[in-house]
Amino acid sequence: MPHTLDSFRRRLCILGAGLLVGTAMPGTVLAQATEPPDSFVYGERDDVMAFALEVAQRQNLDPGWVRRTLAQARYLPSVARLIMPPPAGTAKNWAAYRARFVEPRRLRAGLEFRKAHAKWLAQAEEMYGVPPEIVVGIVGVETLYGRHMGSFRVLDALATLGFDFPSGRSDRSAFFRAELEQFLLLCHSEGHDPLELRGSYAGAMGMPQFMPSSWNRYAVDFDGDGRVDLHRSPADVIGSVAHYLAEHGWQRGEPTHFEVAAPVDTADRAYLLQPDIVPSFTAEEFAARGASLSEEGRGYGGLLALVELQNGGAAPSYAAGTGNFYAITRYNWSSYYAMAVIDLGRAVEALYGSRAVSSAR
């Protein structure tokens, strides 16, 4: 789900769960792996074996190991179905989407995670500038703090999408073959059994749902035990998420967004919405186009994006996103996802703060 989750996950933005077009982050709604009768083992298929030889040469891996591994990959029709976009015309609904994440079970789990790993969250903020609530929000939205990390064999998911990407949408098979190559490199370098690792239907792994390329590039051994473990080490998870965001533009001490009333004039509103979630306008340019920012927003010196969150048949919600809001969308190209992360993290942080005050009395 960054160059972890992937440029593909960003493009998928909101897939699946029906309330919105749910996020592409498999931790959001995790389908169970199935193997219907039309699944098959790739075996010695020519294109797969040719790919095996190329990977072995590029990465200096044992050709026999790569061939044997890929020969055991299985095509999963369920993966091919899940990667498809939602039906055309599916209405987006921010209020319904938010309610899936800012809810009692996730808040309880988030508070438990926040209390148990306060030391690592503080160290990550000191090192990377990313506050605890953002890390807590991401891990909560992604996998409910490790409770739902995916049940598909990563090898099968990436092989299915790399060698038999379904027709009916833009072909992303090259992206998934590249992730499959990174997965084999990861297993070799970290000593993982490629037949055992499980994750989402898109091949994302661990508590933060990193794609293999992001694991290789951004994951860190934050607890210093000599290995990176994004499945069982909350410290490594926290450090890796913070590192990923820092590498994708997070600025220490900057807000994520400001309150704003969108322009009444449709042309002005369309002009500010045109860059989507990319910060492109100053506070003065917002004002010139009729967007009314909060006092804090009017004093902001950086660039802003007018973020629109649709609410089904009701009026949309708006926010003025900063560069840090945009940095969160590098994890998943969706303003709905970013705002859910922010709101969940803030809600957990408020609970954590109130518990701290109560215990001090």
Side-chain angles (χ1 to χ4, degrees), residues 9-32:
R9 284 174 61 197
R10 297 171 189 161
R11 289 174 183 269
L12 282 179
C13 3
I14 342 183
L15 270 190
L19 288 174
L20 204 194
V21 181
T23 72
M25 311 298 276
T28 301
V29 175
L30 288 167
Q32 293 300 307

Side-chain angles (χ1 to χ4, degrees), residues 15 33 35-36 41 80 87 100 144 194 249 256 287 300 321 336 353 359:
L15 270 190
E35 295 186 5
V41 175
R100 292 167 50 201
L144 216 170
T256 56
Y300 183 65
Y336 298 82
S359 62

Side-chain angles (χ1 to χ4, degrees), residues 15-347:
L15 270 190
L19 288 174
L20 204 194
V21 181
T23 72
M25 311 298 276
T28 301
V29 175
L30 288 167
Q32 293 300 307
T34 58
E35 295 186 5
D38 52 341
S39 66
F40 58 83
V41 175
Y42 278 98
E44 299 288 320
R45 207 171 87 174
D46 289 347
D47 59 336
V48 177
M49 292 299 101
F51 176 77
L53 180 59
E54 293 170 5
V55 168
Q57 291 174 339
R58 275 194 298 266
Q59 303 298 342
N60 194 29
L61 300 175
D62 174 31
W65 176 77
V66 178
R67 287 173 60 94
R68 289 191 301 273
T69 299
L70 291 179
Q72 296 176 77
R74 179 178 291 276
Y75 171 79
L76 297 179
S78 55
V79 165
R81 287 195 301 271
L82 287 164
I83 208 68
M84 296 301 288
T90 303
K92 298 179 181 180
N93 189 325
W94 161 239
Y97 183 78
R98 181 186 187 278
R100 292 167 50 201
F101 300 105
V102 187
E103 48 82 27
R105 183 186 180 205
R106 214 169 294 252
L107 290 172
R108 287 193 299 270
L111 179 59
E112 178 184 328
F113 185 87
R114 178 68 175 92
K115 291 191 297 185
H117 309 300
K119 178 185 76 169
W120 299 116
L121 289 161
Q123 289 184 14
E125 181 175 23
E126 181 180 357
M127 181 173 293
Y128 300 113
V130 181
E133 59 264 30
I134 298 300
V135 176
V136 169
I138 284 178
V139 181
V141 169
E142 287 297 327
T143 60
L144 216 170
Y145 307 101
R147 289 160 174 79
H148 303 303
M149 292 188 285
S151 58
F152 294 87
R153 275 202 327 181
V154 174
L155 177 68
D156 297 338
L158 294 177
T160 296
L161 299 174
F163 299 118
D164 291 286
F165 195 87
S167 59
R169 70 168 305 140
S170 178
D171 182 15
R172 299 293 295 169
S173 56
F175 167 80
F176 283 104
R177 286 195 299 273
E179 289 297 332
L180 180 56
E181 180 170 341
Q182 289 294 310
F183 175 69
L184 292 168
L185 182 62
L186 169 65
C187 290
H188 178 265
S189 61
E190 296 289 335
H192 297 302
D193 183 347
L195 303 180
E196 294 297 325
L197 284 181
R198 294 183 179 267
S200 77
Y201 64 82
M205 297 175 288
M207 292 172 66
Q209 292 290 274
F210 270 25
M211 292 295 286
S213 62
S214 291
W215 188 313
N216 289 337
R217 188 175 304 176
Y218 302 113
V220 295
D221 174 21
F222 208 54
D223 60 12
D225 68 352
R227 61 194 299 267
V228 175
D229 186 352
L230 299 186
H231 289 90
R232 291 171 294 273
S233 171
D236 289 358
V237 169
I238 290 164
S240 298
V241 170
H243 180 224
Y244 179 87
L245 290 174
E247 289 294 312
H248 285 80
W250 183 275
Q251 296 298 307
R252 185 186 300 268
E254 290 286 308
T256 56
H257 65 285
F258 302 102
E259 293 182 2
V260 64
V264 175
D265 182 82
T266 55
D268 284 332
R269 189 163 65 249
Y271 179 83
L272 293 179
L273 288 172
Q274 192 277 328
D276 195 13
I277 49 183
V278 181
S280 305
F281 306 104
T282 64
E284 291 75 17
E285 288 172 318
F286 259 49
R289 289 284 175 172
S292 180
L293 282 161
S294 65
E295 182 178 352
E296 295 84 356
R298 290 194 297 273
Y300 183 65
L303 296 178
L304 299 167
L306 183 61
V307 176
E308 181 180 76
L309 302 169
Q310 297 176 23
N311 286 308
S317 301
Y318 292 94
T322 69
N324 279 353
F325 187 93
Y326 185 71
I328 298 172
T329 67
R330 303 309 83 209
Y331 213 98
N332 183 316
W333 190 291
S334 165
S335 54
Y336 298 82
Y337 171 85
M339 197 63 78
V341 163
I342 293 165
D343 281 4
L344 174 61
R346 285 181 172 179

